[in-house]
Each structure stands twice: as C-alpha cells, then as structure tokens.
Amino acid sequence: MPKQHKSRGRREEKKRKRDDTQYEGDSTSKKQKSAETAQAEDYPNDEEFVWFGVLNEEEQEYFRRADELLELNQFNDHEERNLFLANVYREANEKELKIACSQSCSRLMERLIQLSSPSQLKNLFKKFSGNFLNLVKHRFASHCCETLFVQSAPVVTQEIISPVDDQQNIADGDVIVSMENLFLYTLNELEGHIEYLFTDRSASHSIRLLLVVLSGQPLSRPVTASILQSKKKEGVHVAGNESKSAELLIGERVVPSSFQDALSKIISDTLSRLDTTSLRVLATHPLGNPVLQLLLQIELFTLRKARGNDGNSLFRKIVPDMISDQNNEAFSFLNSLLYDPIGSRLMETIVQYAPGKYFRLLYKHCFKEQIGSLSRNEIAGYVAIKVLERLSKEDLQEAVHLIIPQFSSLIERSRMSVIRILIERCTSRGLDTGPIGGAISNAYSIGPGPRILRILCIDLNDVPQEEQRTNPQDAELKANPLKGIRESAKLPAKNEPGQLQGSLLAQLMLSSPGHLSDMIYEDLLALDSRLAGFLARHTNATHVFQCALTAPSSTLEFRRKFIQILYGQIGSLATDLSGSRVVDALWTATRSLSHVRERIATEISRKEEFLRESASGRAVWRNWMMDLFLRRKSQWLNEGRARAGDQRASKAENSSIKADAEKSKIQIAREKFALLKKGVGYSHATSSTAKTTRNRSN
C-alpha cells in the first residue's frame, strides 16, 4: 500500500511546529476577538476604548437567572430578598464592570441598583470610580450609570438631614465616604470632557441626569421627561417596586451648596470653551439641544444668576441686547429657532424662564406683530402657547384680537391647544371670553348637535346605525341581549389625536361661564338618543358628558332634559368601561331630582344579570347601592337625600368660614363694639356661635 509522501529535514519540522502554534492561538483567541469587536461597536466615536473583559458562559447563565428572579420579585419577605441580593453581590464582586457592559446582564445591574441599600450604592460607586468616563459612553453601561445617579440622589438628602458618622460601622479598614463626595469625585473625573459628552449618543443622557441631580429638581416630572430620556428608552423595573421608586423621585430635593458650586463651574467652563457659534450649533443639535435647555433652566431658575443680567451668562450669550435690530444676526438666529423642530424647544425654555425685562423685550420685537401667524404654524405654535402664558392683561387682549382671525385655520387642522390656552388665560386674567365663543361658533358654521362632533373630531360615518344597535324585534338580540350591549360599545377604529384635544377644549368650555358653556350645553341637548349613547361610550367624548353632568354651571333644567335622552340605554352603558363612568356621574347629577334617580335605578335593576357579569357593571351596582334599593327602597331614598344634604351643609359651612375670613379689621371691631354695647362679650358670642354651628353640622 503506498504511503503518504512526507517532507523531512530540520527546516520542514520548524515550519510544521510554527503552523500548529499559530492555529492553536487563532482558535483560543477567537471568542476574545469577537468580544473585543462587539465592545468596539459600543464606542462608535472613539478610536480607543477600555476593555473590561467578558463573562464566561457559566457566569452569564447565573446572572441571567438572577435577573429573572429579581424581575418577578416573588420573595416571601424583605429578609429573603436582601439575602438573595447579598449573594448576587458576592458573586458579582470584581465583575461589576463586566456586568454593566454586557448586553444580556446590564439589566441585572439596573435592577440590583434599584433594590440596593445606601451602603451597597456607595460600594458600587467606588467600583465604577475611575471608569465613569468610559462607562457613560458605553451603549449598555450608560443606563446603569443613569440608574445609579437616580437612586443615589435621595441618599444625599438623607445624609444632609442625618450626617454620616465617620466612627460608625467601620470594619475591615473601609473608609466611609458621603454620597455627596462620591458625586463630586465623579464630576472631577468628567471634568474637561463634558463639552464633547453633550453630543455623545449615550453619554448625553447621563450628563443631563447628572445635572438634574445636582440642581435638586424632581427626577420624575412630565416637563423634564422628554429632556432626560428618549421615547425609545426601555423601562427596567422590579415588580412591586415602582411605587416606592416614584415616591423617592417626586418633589424637589435638598442639595448641598457644593452641588450648586459645581453647577456654576460646569456652566462657566462650558462658556469658556464654547463660543457663540458653537452654542448656536448646539441649539439645533438633537442631543445638544436638551442639554442647553437644562443649563438655561438651571441658570435662570435654580441658580438665579442675577436673573440674566450678567453679560457672561449663558442666557445673555443666546439672547443678547441687540435683538431690537431686525437686521442683526442675533435676531435672525432667534427667529430661525421658532420654525426649527429642535430649536423651537429651546425657544420655549427661553420664553418660560427669561427674566421679565428680557421677556418683554423678546415679545416686543419677536412675537407681538406675528403672534397670529405663529399660532397657526405647526412648530411655532408651541412657542406661541408659552408666550400667551406669560402675557399681561393688556398684551393678552391685543393677542386675542390677532389670533381670532386664525381660528378657522386652527380648527381645520385640529390644533385646539392655542384656543384652549387663550380661554384659560382670559379666564385667569378676567377678560371677556365672548369674542372667543363667537369666533368658535363662526369657525364651525354648523348648528347645534353636529357641531359637538366636529369639536370632538368624530366622523359621522363612524357612528353605528340605529337599526344595528337596538332593535327590539330582532330575535337574535332577544336571545342574547348582552351581545347587543357589547356590540354597541365598540369604539371607532380611528382614534385621531385631535379627538383628545377636542375633548379637552369642550371640557374647558363647560368650566367657563357664559357663551362658551352655553354652546356646549346646547349641542348636548340637540343630540338624539343614538348619538348620545355612542358618545357616552367613546373614550374621549365620555369625559365631556361627565363634566357636563357634574360642572357647577350645569343647571337643573339641563340635567333633567339631558338625562331623558339617555333613558332606555343606561343599563347597557353600565356594562361599558367608558359608559359606566357616565352612569356614575348620573348619581351626582340627580342630587335634586329624586324621581329621576329612582327611575334610573329601576332601569339598572332590570339589567342586574348582565351587570353582575361585567366588572364595570359591578362597580356601577355598588356605587348606586342597588342591593339597598331592591331590599329597602325607603332607606335608599333617605341615604341619597342624606348624601346631598351633607354636601350642601359642607358647602354652606365652607362659605360661612370664607365669609368670616374675608372680614376686614374695621368690620370685626364694629361687631365687637356692638356686642359690648349690648352687654355681651365678643369672645362669648363668638364661641356660642361656633358651638351652634357645630351642633347644626352634627
């Protein structure tokens, strides 16, 4: 049998050994190279990155299982959970940076931080110390840094109330460091790099959150939600721990003076490194703009740095004194921000927090003449809303006359926000809302009834036909009445954003006395039974019905007539999620209409079987005390009258207390003199009056 030809000799032997060594090296380093490549992808803007290593398969499986257990949070008690956390921290010792940078295990680190004690948070701060500059730029570790900053912020306030005792719980030579100093060490580590971190894809969010922590502002607030995080951010939570975390983040916090000094230094360093051109570029940058908003808000509201009078402040860099000249470059820049999707958000912040002197200057030269056209624009309209919120009574009256001609265009495009703010501000400033009501009526140019559908942006084609909803001769409906109830409760497939704005506008008009509320009441009374039943089940329109039935401006005559429109379908409304709220509002609406309330209860009792099968129906049955109505009707009537009487008594008592509080000192002196003249002590008369009032209330 022929043999394989083999080359012999010393050179061939050395070559074969060299090839075998190279092959073994390639196979052993394959996973490491792939991990390094993945790590490099998380730093797209850096040519050099710090390699923290990767977890092996056993470690990844352990931490993945621990993450699942923490997410479910199904421990018997806190002691068991704390023991589990201690074990996880023991396994994660010297691996914290690997876990934070791991795509599969970084969520575990976030949940660990949310459940950690102050001492554990400090230890984690120490583990991250020296690497924050690399961690905040990492795709996954940046989220861990954000969670660490958020959960550590309340600890700073707690340590201000009860300072850390350096001699307490010192073991194994550990040095106790306050959370305040840990934050300051982090700032020192990031010093000199913050300006370019403003526009980093991952670090920008961490820097914004760090600024909010230093300023003491609430960490969870709708106003700052869009600034701190994007809409795509994944919420990592622990089941049952959401309410506890929310309590720590709501409300302003007390922060040490060193934090304010650090904020002032950040702003001054930013201004020293960025010129006016760079700031204007940041104003329209998707990541730099939110940072500028926060810095402006902190400078003008938190630090109150001479209220913008300092020529070297960030506000004066963006809004100089030369805006009065329309040919000036600064005026052109501010005007361009109004129509920029990103820059307009910075203009909103400027208008909201600018000192009064500069706001009047801005309004005079940038907004006054074009407030009407700004309110019509899709982007600049939001800036116009902020401007209207700060106008004086005289300026607001002029703005109303300029915006009213734009109502037709605003209504056609379903932009009700400007109209709603106008009504709110005119009511607050004591201006007549009659012209606004007339302009709204002229803009819709249709009669009562269909007009409410236009206001709510509901298409008439979405309303089901009457014969499809309730037909007493239909055999199928007779066989299964619940089917007809459920089919009639279906909402239109098309739920436009304008429907919510229209619902808010209608509710605001109901709360405004005069022509505005009368217009909505007239529209509701013009509805037929079919439309009223459909709107009562509609997600947004149902709030208008509830407001109309319970508003202080709602008259007895309106409530009696409107409730008659709903007769015959109250039982079906009670089984609907939205309609059941209207039925609950009918209890308050019939406070002076006992016979109407009794008729409604009778109609509800006929649908008892179907109401008990629905969660909404059971709630209505309980709120209307239907068990008491069926067993002891007289007691049910007395209970309803008692509730109404308690409400009247409380209102009368509050009004009398308010009247006594509004008395001037001269009136009190005159009453005292008159009582003394009659021979009755003033204090004795006051105490006897108070006793009489208490006896009557009892």
Side-chain angles (χ1 to χ4, degrees):
M1 182 176 182
K3 295 183 179 180
Q4 180 182 1
H5 176 73
K6 294 182 179 180
S7 300
R8 294 183 295 178
R10 288 177 297 177
R11 293 181 180 178
E12 191 66 26
E13 185 70 20
K14 291 181 180 179
K15 182 180 179 181
R16 186 169 57 254
K17 290 182 180 180
R18 185 170 61 249
D19 293 341
D20 293 342
T21 305
Q22 184 177 358
Y23 175 77
E24 293 176 0
D26 291 343
S27 61
T28 55
S29 61
K30 184 177 181 180
K31 290 185 178 180
Q32 183 175 357
K33 287 183 178 180
S34 61
E36 291 177 356
T37 305
Q39 186 86 354
E41 291 177 355
D42 296 333
Y43 294 94
N45 300 326
D46 292 352
E47 295 180 359
E48 298 180 359
F49 62 90
V50 178
W51 168 248
F52 297 118
V54 293
L55 301 170
N56 57 40
E57 294 182 1
E58 294 181 359
E59 293 171 341
Q60 286 187 2
E61 180 62 25
Y62 172 80
F63 291 127
R64 185 191 62 80
R65 178 59 182 164
D67 183 37
E68 293 177 357
L69 294 176
L70 285 180
E71 183 180 6
L72 297 175
N73 195 19
Q74 295 178 349
F75 299 97
N76 295 328
D77 50 18
H78 291 286
E79 183 178 355
E80 181 181 351
R81 189 178 69 179
N82 293 336
L83 182 61
F84 179 77
L85 289 175
N87 292 333
V88 175
Y89 267 114
R90 191 179 303 110
E91 291 293 332
N93 188 29
E94 303 299 333
K95 304 183 186 74
E96 293 85 357
L97 299 178
K98 295 181 182 180
I99 297 174
C101 297
S102 172
Q103 180 178 2
S104 58
C105 300
S106 60
R107 296 180 183 86
L108 168 65
M109 181 60 67
E110 293 189 58
R111 292 190 175 93
L112 278 176
I113 295 173
Q114 293 176 14
L115 299 173
S116 296
S117 62
S119 60
Q120 290 172 333
L121 291 175
K122 290 182 180 181
N123 291 332
L124 201 57
F125 242 113
K126 296 175 184 178
K127 298 289 185 178
F128 285 4
S129 182
N131 298 288
F132 273 110
L133 181 59
N134 297 288
L135 293 175
V136 297
K137 294 186 296 181
H138 194 274
R139 178 183 174 186
F140 306 116
S142 60
H143 296 286
C144 299
C145 294
E146 294 174 23
T147 308
L148 181 61
F149 294 154
V150 169
Q151 298 298 323
S152 302
V155 181
V156 178
T157 305
Q158 294 174 7
E159 291 183 349
I160 293 177
I161 299 174
S162 55
V164 179
D165 188 2
D166 294 339
Q167 303 299 326
Q168 184 180 4
N169 296 331
I170 298 180
D172 300 330
D174 292 339
V175 179
I176 294 180
V177 183
S178 65
M179 191 64 76
E180 173 189 354
N181 290 331
L182 290 174
F183 272 107
L184 295 177
Y185 295 156
T186 304
L187 287 176
N188 291 334
E189 184 179 344
L190 300 178
E191 186 177 359
H193 307 278
I194 291 183
E195 288 74 24
Y196 84 84
L197 294 179
F198 285 169
T199 56
D200 187 85
R201 185 181 64 180
S202 299
S204 177
H205 299 88
S206 302
I207 296 299
R208 297 176 217 168
L209 199 54
L210 188 58
L211 291 174
V212 175
V213 170
L214 296 175
S215 65
Q217 298 180 11
L219 293 168
S220 61
R221 189 172 56 172
V223 179
T224 57
S226 60
I227 298 178
L228 295 181
Q229 61 188 22
S230 64
K231 296 180 180 179
K232 299 179 181 179
K233 180 177 174 60
E234 177 187 357
V236 179
H237 303 290
V238 177
N241 197 54
E242 295 86 353
S243 59
K244 182 180 178 181
S245 300
E247 291 176 0
L248 299 175
L249 307 181
I250 296 176
E252 296 186 358
R253 295 167 289 102
V254 179
V255 294
S257 58
S258 59
F259 279 13
Q260 295 189 355
D261 297 338
L263 284 173
S264 300
K265 188 175 186 305
I266 290 174
I267 295 176
S268 59
D269 291 347
T270 301
L271 294 176
S272 64
R273 294 187 177 95
L274 299 178
D275 55 4
T276 304
T277 304
S278 301
L279 288 175
R280 291 178 179 176
V281 172
L282 281 179
T284 56
H285 193 279
L287 297 174
N289 180 276
V291 181
L292 274 185
Q293 293 183 54
L294 269 179
L295 290 177
L296 269 176
Q297 182 178 346
I298 290 171
E299 182 183 76
L300 297 175
F301 183 75
T302 304
L303 298 179
R304 300 184 182 274
K305 188 176 181 181
R307 299 296 292 169
N309 294 325
D310 187 0
N312 296 323
S313 65
L314 177 62
F315 176 78
R316 291 293 299 277
K317 285 262 189 177
I318 300 176
V319 186
D321 290 332
M322 296 82 71
I323 58 174
S324 57
D325 184 9
Q326 296 188 1
N327 297 323
N328 190 273
E329 185 179 357
F331 177 86
S332 302
F333 167 68
L334 293 177
N335 194 52
S336 66
L337 290 181
L338 293 173
Y339 303 97
D340 188 85
I342 299 174
S344 61
R345 297 182 180 273
L346 180 63
M347 279 300 299
E348 293 180 41
T349 305
I350 292 174
V351 169
Q352 184 176 0
Y353 295 100
K357 169 186 173 182
Y358 288 96
F359 172 75
R360 289 189 291 270
L361 190 66
L362 277 171
Y363 178 71
K364 179 180 179 181
H365 297 289
C366 297
F367 302 114
K368 187 174 183 179
E369 296 181 357
Q370 53 178 350
I371 188 67
S373 59
L374 289 177
S375 63
R376 189 180 66 247
N377 187 269
E378 182 180 3
I379 297 173
Y382 295 100
V383 183
I385 289 174
K386 295 294 182 182
V387 173
L388 293 173
E389 291 176 350
R390 290 198 61 177
L391 289 182
S392 62
K393 185 176 181 179
E394 295 76 14
D395 292 335
L396 181 61
Q397 194 166 9
E398 294 179 4
V400 169
H401 293 299
L402 292 174
I403 296 176
I404 280 180
Q406 310 295 334
F407 272 24
S408 299
S409 177
L410 292 173
I411 291 173
E412 183 181 356
R413 303 176 185 181
S414 300
R415 294 176 188 159
M416 314 293 189
S417 300
V418 176
I419 302 176
R420 188 159 47 87
I421 293 298
L422 270 183
I423 296 174
E424 287 181 358
R425 299 311 302 164
C426 288
T427 304
S428 177
R429 295 291 187 184
L431 293 176
D432 182 23
T433 57
I436 299 178
I440 294 174
S441 180
N442 295 333
Y444 285 108
S445 65
I446 52 178
R451 181 170 55 195
I452 190 64
L453 295 177
R454 287 280 306 277
I455 293 176
L456 296 173
C457 300
I458 296 176
D459 190 359
L460 195 61
N461 296 326
D462 293 331
V463 183
Q465 297 299 321
E466 185 173 4
E467 58 271 12
Q468 296 176 356
R469 287 187 61 254
T470 55
N471 188 356
Q473 305 300 327
D474 192 356
E476 185 180 0
L477 184 61
K478 283 185 176 181
N480 190 1
L482 190 60
K483 180 180 178 182
I485 294 173
R486 289 169 179 168
E487 287 181 353
S488 63
K490 290 182 180 179
L491 298 181
K494 189 178 181 182
N495 194 4
E496 299 177 355
Q499 293 178 355
L500 175 60
Q501 296 297 328
S503 176
L504 294 174
L505 176 62
Q507 295 175 57
L508 181 62
M509 293 172 67
L510 286 170
S511 62
S512 302
H515 182 56
L516 291 173
S517 58
D518 293 342
M519 185 189 310
I520 301 297
Y521 287 135
E522 184 182 7
D523 288 344
L524 294 178
L525 290 178
L527 295 173
D528 57 11
S529 179
R530 177 174 61 92
L531 281 175
F534 171 78
L535 294 178
R537 297 174 178 86
H538 195 277
T539 309
N540 296 313
T542 183
H543 297 288
V544 180
F545 279 31
Q546 298 171 45
C547 184
L549 291 169
T550 59
S553 59
S554 177
T555 62
L556 187 66
E557 181 182 3
F558 164 77
R559 285 183 272 126
R560 184 174 61 251
K561 290 182 179 180
F562 184 68
I563 292 173
Q564 291 177 359
I565 301 175
L566 298 176
Y567 282 158
Q569 49 186 337
I570 293 177
S572 61
L573 288 176
T575 59
D576 184 80
L577 182 61
S578 300
S580 61
R581 302 183 183 275
V582 177
V583 179
D584 288 338
L586 290 176
W587 176 271
T588 306
T590 56
R591 55 184 176 271
S592 301
L593 301 169
S594 300
H595 62 287
V596 177
R597 178 178 290 178
E598 184 177 351
R599 179 173 175 176
I600 294 174
T602 303
E603 186 173 341
I604 293 175
S605 64
R606 294 171 184 168
K607 300 285 186 179
E608 178 181 359
E609 179 183 354
F610 306 118
L611 264 64
R612 293 190 182 277
E613 293 180 4
S614 168
S616 302
R618 289 192 295 270
V620 170
W621 190 271
R622 182 175 58 255
N623 295 336
W624 273 78
M625 301 181 295
M626 292 304 300
D627 291 329
L628 185 63
F629 173 78
L630 295 176
R631 296 172 184 174
R632 297 185 180 91
K633 188 174 181 180
S634 58
Q635 185 177 350
W636 180 83
L637 292 172
N638 294 332
E639 183 71 20
R641 294 191 189 100
R643 288 189 182 183
D646 291 342
Q647 292 177 358
R648 291 196 207 99
S650 62
K651 289 181 180 179
E653 185 177 356
N654 293 335
S655 61
S656 63
I657 294 173
K658 184 178 180 181
D660 293 339
E662 291 177 352
K663 289 181 180 179
S664 62
K665 293 182 179 180
I666 189 64
Q667 289 176 335
I668 296 174
R670 287 172 180 170
E671 293 177 359
K672 182 178 179 181
F673 178 76
L675 292 172
L676 291 174
K677 192 174 181 180
K678 293 179 181 179
V680 181
Y682 180 75
S683 60
H684 173 72
T686 306
S687 62
S688 62
T689 304
K691 290 179 181 178
T692 305
T693 304
R694 285 196 296 269
N695 292 333
R696 288 177 180 175
S697 63
N698 293 332

